[in-house]
């Protein structure tokens, strides 16, 4: 049983730890680290840390894409050429104040004519999965590719009897909902943007379900998460705030936890608790997706679902 993570907009992530961030001045980091990142690769890294057999397929290009590949140690990735330069993202931690500054380059447009080859490459990865596998579609769809890109991949996986988890935003998310993915995991802002709902997490979850998602999770950082199941089941996930939390990639760790629970055949409550514990474990340090099962198990006592 394998988790396949699809990342159409990965990034070369650079982390810098600074004694103090001086805006408008010269900054000399104490340490700098480069990693293969973006939502899909973060999910794959977190899932691997949880002991889940995980593969990824990622769209990369240019010298930055080459650098990203070189910093993907420990990940099993099938690389697909985008034909354009891969973006970079910067995370700057002021260690004195604990304040995190993030600078994310925009996702560069990919020529529309590349979509058939990209779709075929992802489809081959899906076709190679065995029974009991799970597919996770994470992150943005680059401009130039069709808004229906994720929906087409949901359809392809569903035709092979594979459950699909979606974590995306914008028009690509709305289009994917119409393909009826098994679960959609978004944060409260993404849910509001997709549905136009501002009445709260439950209303947003119901609106996403009305648009086609079978089950919905809306995350809200330290305020926990809300789950709405295909049978109308409602579950609130709560946990105490984490002082000094560094949430880069915590949503991705949450999705990895959901996937791990599904692959293990765990129930809804156990899966949500594992997911929230994974997000908390991720938020205890700066780099995205660097968690272990022991880290996650240590958080479970503080996570409640019901």
């Amino acid at each position: 049983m394998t988790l396949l993570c699809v990342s159409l907009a990965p990034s070369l992530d650079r982390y810098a730890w600074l004694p103090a961030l001086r805006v408008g001045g010269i900054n000399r980091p104490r340490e700098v680290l480069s990693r293969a990142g973006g939502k899909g690769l973060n999910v794959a890294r977190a899932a691997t840390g949880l002991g889940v057999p995980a593969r990824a397929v990622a769209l990369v290009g240019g010298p930055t894409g080459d650098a990203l590949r070189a910093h993907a140690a420990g990940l099993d990735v099938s690389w697909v050429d985008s034909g354009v330069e891969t973006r970079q993202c910067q995370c700057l931690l002021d260690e004195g104040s604990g304040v995190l500054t993030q600078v994310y380059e925009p996702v560069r447009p990919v020529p529309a004519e590349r979509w058939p080859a990209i779709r075929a490459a992802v489809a081959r990865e899906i076709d190679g999965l065995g029974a009991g596998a799970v597919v996770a579609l994470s992150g943005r769809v680059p401009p130039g590719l069709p808004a229906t890109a994720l929906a087409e991949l949901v359809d392809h996986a569903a035709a092979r009897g594979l459950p699909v988890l979606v974590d995306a935003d914008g028009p690509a998310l709305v289009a994917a909902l119409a393909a009826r993915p098994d679960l959609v995991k978004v944060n409260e802002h993404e849910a509001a943007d997709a549905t136009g709902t501002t009445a709260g997490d439950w209303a947003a979850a119901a609106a996403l379900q009305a648009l086609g998602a079978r089950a919905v999770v809306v995350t809200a950082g330290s305020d926990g998460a809300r789950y709405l199941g295909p049978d109308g089941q409602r579950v609130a996930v709560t946990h105490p705030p984490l002082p000094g939390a560094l949430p880069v990639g915590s949503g991705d760790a949450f999705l990895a936890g959901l996937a791990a629970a599904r692959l293990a055949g765990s129930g809804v409550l156990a899966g949500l608790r594992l997911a929230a514990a994974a997000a908390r474990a991720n938020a205890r340090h700066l780099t995205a997706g660097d968690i272990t099962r022991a880290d996650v198990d240590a958080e479970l006592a503080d996570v409640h679902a019901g």
Side-chain angles (χ1 to χ4, degrees), residues 102-132:
Q102 298 162 268
V103 183
Y104 289 179
E105 290 184 6
V107 179
R108 291 177 173 83
V110 172
E113 59 269 20
R114 287 191 173 265
W115 173 239
I118 294 167
R119 184 187 188 284
V122 177
R124 283 194 297 273
E125 293 295 324
I126 293 173
D127 293 345
L129 296 172

Side-chain angles (χ1 to χ4, degrees), residues 11-14 33-37 41 45 60-73 79 85-88:
S11 64
L12 177 64
D13 290 349
R14 291 178 57 80
L33 176 67
S34 296
R35 298 287 292 277
L41 296 182
R45 181 175 291 111
V60 294
T64 307
D66 293 338
L68 186 151
R69 293 194 215 195
H71 289 93
W79 305 104
E85 190 74 19
T86 295
R87 64 184 176 136
Q88 296 188 50

Side-chain angles (χ1 to χ4, degrees), residues 10 17 39 56 117 130 151 174 188 191 205 306:
W17 289 260
K39 294 183 71 65
V174 175
E188 54 191 342

Side-chain angles (χ1 to χ4, degrees), residues 4-8 40 55-58 122 126 135-139 150 153:
L4 177 68
C5 302
V6 178
S7 181
L8 299 180
R55 285 184 47 76
V57 54
V122 177
I126 293 173
V135 177
L137 308 179
S138 292
L150 297 183
L153 299 178

